[in-house]
Amino acid sequence: MLKKIPFWITYVFLYVPIVVVVAMSFNAGDSPYSWSGFSFSWYAELAKDEQIRIGLGNTLLVATGSTVIATVLGTLLAVGLARHTRSKILDAIATLPVILPDIVLAIGLLAFYSLIQLTLGLYSVLLAHAVFGTAAVAAVVRTRLNGTDPSLEEASRDLGANGFTTFLRITLPTLAPGIVAGALLAFTLSVDEFVIAFFTAGPQSPTLPIVIYSMVRFGVTPEINALATVLLAVTFTAIIAAARLTRLTERR
Amino acid sequence: MKRSLERLTLLGPGLGYLTVLMVVPLALVLSYTIFQRGRFGGLVYEPTTENFLRAVDPLYLDVLVTSVEIAGVTTVLALLLGFPTAYVIARLPGKWKTIALVGLVLPFWTNFLIRTYAWIVLLSPAGMINDALTGWGLIDEPLQLLYTKPAIVAGLLYAYLPLMVLPLFAALEKQDDQLLEAAANLGARPAKAFLTVTLPLTLPAVITGCVFVFVPSIGNFVVPELLGGGQTAMVGNLIRDQFLKARDWPFGATLALILVAMLMLLLMLQAWSARRLTGDKNA
C-alpha cells in the first residue's frame, strides 16, 4: 500500500486543478476563487463573447486546412521514406519538426515570412501548422507501414499494375487506419498549438489559444473557467469516442 | 527511370514543403546570428561576433542558468514521481491498466494554456491552496505562491509529467518478472534487486523520459510568464522578447541557436547511452 503513494499523488496532482476549474465555472460570483452559489451565468457570458467566437472559427479553419495539407504530404512522405530511400538526412528532416522546440520553428517562420514580405494573417499560421502536421502524419503512417507486408505491392506490380494503380488500390487501403489516426493527430495538435500561432498570426486573426492567452494575461475571470470546462468536455468526449471506435474496428 | 519518377512524386512534395518552410527558416535563423541589429530594428549585414559575446554576459548567462535549473528540477521531480507511478501502472490488472493510462493522458490532451490557468486559480493569494491553509489555521497570512520559481516548476511538471511516465511504463511493462524472482532466489533483497536488475534495464527509458520533460520545459515561455509573473525570465521569454519586443533578431537568433545546441548535445547523449546500455549497434 505504501508503495502506491506516489501513484496516488500523481493522479491527485493531475486532477485537482481540473476539478477546481470545472467547479468554479458554475460560480455565481465574479471571482474564480471563492464560491458564492451555483449559476450558469458564465456560460451565458461565454456564448456572447465575440472574441472567442472569432478565435474558434479561425482555429477550426487553420486546423482543417493544415490537416488537409499535412495528410496528403505526410502520407506520400511516409511511403517514400519507407520504400524508396535509406537516406538518414531525409529521415532527419521528416522527424525534425517533432523534436525541435516550438519557439525555434516559430522565430524561423517569422523571419522567413518577413524576408519574403508575406503579410501575416491566418494562412501564415495554416502553412506553419502544416509543417509539424506533415511530420506527425508521416510518423504515424510509417509505424503502420512497418507492420504491412511489401509483398502485396510486389504482387500487384507482377500482375501488371503500374505504380500509381498499386499505390491507389493496395498501399492506400492498407494504410487507411494509419492515415486517419495521423490526420486526427495533426488536427488536435493544430487546435492546441499556441507558440507558433502567436508568432505567425496577423493581429486581426487570432486563433483560439491566442484569445485564451490574452484573456489569462489580462486577468482571471470565471468566463475562462467556463471555456475550459467546455473544451475539457469536448476533448474527453472525443478521446473516449476515439477509444471506443478503435476497439470496435479492432474487434472486427 | 520509372522508379525514380515514383520516388520523386512520393518524396518531392513533402520534403519540398519541409525544406521551404522549415530548413530555409532555420538556416535563416542560423545566418542571423552573425549579423547586427540595425538602428530601427532591421538587419545590418555586417558579420560580427557581438551576439555571442552578449549571450555570455552575466546578465544573460544568468537567464540560461536559471532555465537549466528550472527545467532540471522539473525533470528530477517528474522522475521521482513518474517512476513509481509507472511501476504501479505496469503491474495493474488489464482493465485497470487501460483506465490508469487513459487517465494519465486525458489532462495532457486539454489545452496547454487552460492547464496553466488552472494553476493560477490554485496558487493565487485568494486561491484554493491559501484558502485551505488559512482555513485550517496553519497560516495567518496568505503565502506568496504564485509568481515564484516553485510555481513555474509546478506548472511545467503538470504539463509534462505524462511524458515521463509513458516511456517508463513501456519499459517496465516489458520487463520479465522472472528476473526479479531469480534475483530474490539468489538472495537479493528487494532494494538490491531493484538497483541491480530493474534500474539498469529501464535506464534507457529513464533517459528518454528525462529528455521528453527537459526539452519542452527549457524552451517554454508561457509558464514562466503566467505563473512566474515576469519575475523569473527563462531563455524562451528572452527569445520571444528579442523577436517581438526589442526587435533585436540577431541576438534572439543567437539565443535560439544556443538552446538548440544544448538540446542537440542532450539528444546525442541519449542516443549514445541507449546504444551503450542495450548493446545494440543499430539503436
Side-chain angles (χ1 to χ4, degrees):
Chain A
M1 202 53 226
L2 214 62
K3 275 191 199 157
K4 289 201 176 175
I5 288 175
F7 169 82
W8 290 114
I9 294 178
T10 295
Y11 282 85
V12 168
F13 177 67
L14 286 178
Y15 282 92
V16 163
I18 292 181
V19 170
V20 169
V21 165
V22 171
M24 282 301 169
S25 74
F26 299 106
N27 193 9
D30 51 10
S31 155
Y33 313 121
S34 49
W35 185 257
S36 50
F38 186 89
S39 146
F40 279 116
S41 59
W42 293 107
Y43 288 88
E45 204 68 29
L46 182 68
K48 277 188 294 194
D49 197 319
E50 190 71 21
Q51 273 309 104
I52 286 181
R53 209 167 341 167
I54 293 171
L56 183 65
N58 286 344
T59 286
L60 290 177
L61 198 70
V62 166
T64 310
S66 64
T67 302
V68 170
I69 299 177
T71 307
V72 175
L73 297 181
T75 304
L76 293 175
L77 193 59
V79 177
L81 286 174
R83 300 269 195 266
H84 292 275
T85 179
R86 279 161 189 269
S87 162
K88 285 245 161 86
I89 296 172
L90 299 186
D91 238 27
I93 291 177
T95 43
L96 191 58
V98 184
I99 49 171
L100 200 67
D102 43 13
I103 194 169
V104 178
L105 188 58
I107 60 170
L109 283 162
L110 177 62
F112 178 66
Y113 286 154
S114 127
L115 187 77
I116 61 169
Q117 297 186 343
L118 183 102
T119 317
L120 299 183
L122 213 49
Y123 49 90
S124 47
V125 185
L126 194 154
L127 292 175
H129 278 192
V131 172
F132 59 77
T134 301
V137 173
V140 174
V141 172
R142 273 183 89 181
T143 49
R144 174 93 193 170
L145 257 176
N146 290 338
T148 62
D149 190 354
S151 61
L152 274 177
E153 289 165 35
E154 282 157 26
S156 157
R157 280 168 206 276
D158 290 344
L159 291 169
N162 62 25
F164 182 69
T165 315
T166 306
F167 183 78
L168 217 58
R169 311 231 359 211
I170 307 292
T171 316
L172 272 189
T174 34
L175 292 183
I179 297 171
V180 172
L184 280 175
L185 181 63
F187 190 86
T188 331
L189 288 176
S190 168
V191 167
D192 206 35
E193 207 286 325
F194 166 68
V195 173
I196 293 170
F198 184 65
F199 276 81
T200 57
Q204 299 305 316
S205 38
T207 60
L208 188 58
I210 296 175
V211 175
I212 299 175
Y213 175 74
S214 39
M215 280 174 84
V216 174
R217 267 191 62 178
F218 194 66
V220 282
T221 108
E223 193 187 332
I224 307 177
N225 293 49
L227 176 64
T229 307
V230 172
L231 290 178
L232 282 166
V234 172
T235 328
F236 282 22
T237 319
I239 288 179
I240 291 165
R244 281 268 163 92
L245 211 69
T246 40
R247 257 223 312 272
L248 278 180
T249 43
E250 268 170 16
R251 220 178 268 162
R252 238 183 271 161
Chain B
M1 181 60 214
K2 243 184 152 180
R3 207 57 202 157
S4 65
L5 186 72
E6 222 179 287
R7 182 184 308 170
L8 193 69
T9 29
L10 286 170
L11 290 169
L15 289 174
Y17 194 86
L18 292 181
T19 303
V20 173
L21 283 165
M22 183 182 68
V23 178
V24 171
L26 291 180
L28 210 57
V29 171
L30 188 65
S31 76
Y32 281 4
T33 61
I34 58 159
F35 293 128
Q36 301 170 30
R37 169 190 186 223
R39 193 182 275 168
F40 302 106
L43 283 164
V44 178
Y45 294 98
E46 276 170 41
T48 174
T49 53
E50 188 202 324
N51 297 312
F52 288 94
L53 292 177
R54 223 177 121 194
V56 292
D57 181 284
L59 182 68
Y60 297 111
L61 204 60
D62 203 37
V63 175
L64 280 173
V65 172
T66 307
S67 311
V68 173
E69 180 195 324
I70 289 178
V73 171
T74 306
T75 309
V76 171
L77 287 178
L79 182 62
L80 290 179
L81 205 53
F83 197 102
T85 303
Y87 194 85
V88 172
I89 299 176
R91 266 148 197 80
L92 286 174
K95 189 183 154 200
W96 289 105
K97 194 185 286 179
T98 316
I99 292 173
L101 283 175
V102 171
L104 189 75
V105 292
L106 265 185
F108 195 69
W109 283 106
T110 58
N111 186 282
F112 177 75
L113 292 156
I114 298 279
R115 280 183 286 157
T116 310
Y117 168 76
W119 281 90
I120 301 183
V121 175
L122 279 174
L123 297 176
S124 282
M128 218 36 79
I129 294 176
N130 269 314
D131 232 30
L133 290 177
T134 37
W136 292 332
L138 290 172
I139 50 170
D140 300 323
E141 291 286 304
L143 297 173
Q144 180 61 47
L145 299 171
L146 198 60
Y147 306 148
T148 60
K149 274 189 199 176
I152 302 177
V153 171
L156 292 172
L157 184 64
Y158 189 63
Y160 303 124
L161 180 60
L163 293 179
M164 174 67 82
V165 180
L166 289 175
L168 287 173
F169 164 78
L172 286 165
E173 206 202 15
K174 265 196 316 205
Q175 195 199 319
D176 192 346
D177 277 339
Q178 287 184 337
L179 288 174
L180 286 179
E181 281 167 32
N185 289 340
L186 292 168
R189 269 181 289 175
K192 171 121 185 171
F194 177 81
L195 282 177
T196 51
V197 178
T198 308
L199 200 59
L201 283 174
T202 44
L203 213 48
V206 169
I207 295 169
T208 304
C210 287
V211 169
F212 280 2
V213 174
F214 189 85
V215 171
S217 293
I218 194 169
N220 200 300
F221 72 84
V222 178
V223 173
E225 179 170 339
L226 296 181
L227 299 179
Q231 310 282 321
T232 313
M234 285 176 69
V235 62
N237 303 71
L238 213 51
I239 297 173
R240 192 264 323 260
D241 290 348
Q242 295 309 319
F243 269 81
L244 300 181
K245 285 186 189 153
R247 296 199 65 79
D248 188 343
W249 288 18
F251 186 50
T254 307
L255 292 168
L257 178 66
I258 293 172
L259 176 67
V260 171
M262 270 167 32
L263 298 181
M264 293 248 282
L265 213 67
L266 210 65
L267 289 173
M268 274 156 65
L269 209 69
Q270 179 204 9
W272 175 80
S273 63
R275 257 200 315 270
R276 282 278 315 254
L277 292 165
T278 57
D280 181 358
K281 297 277 184 302
N282 300 315

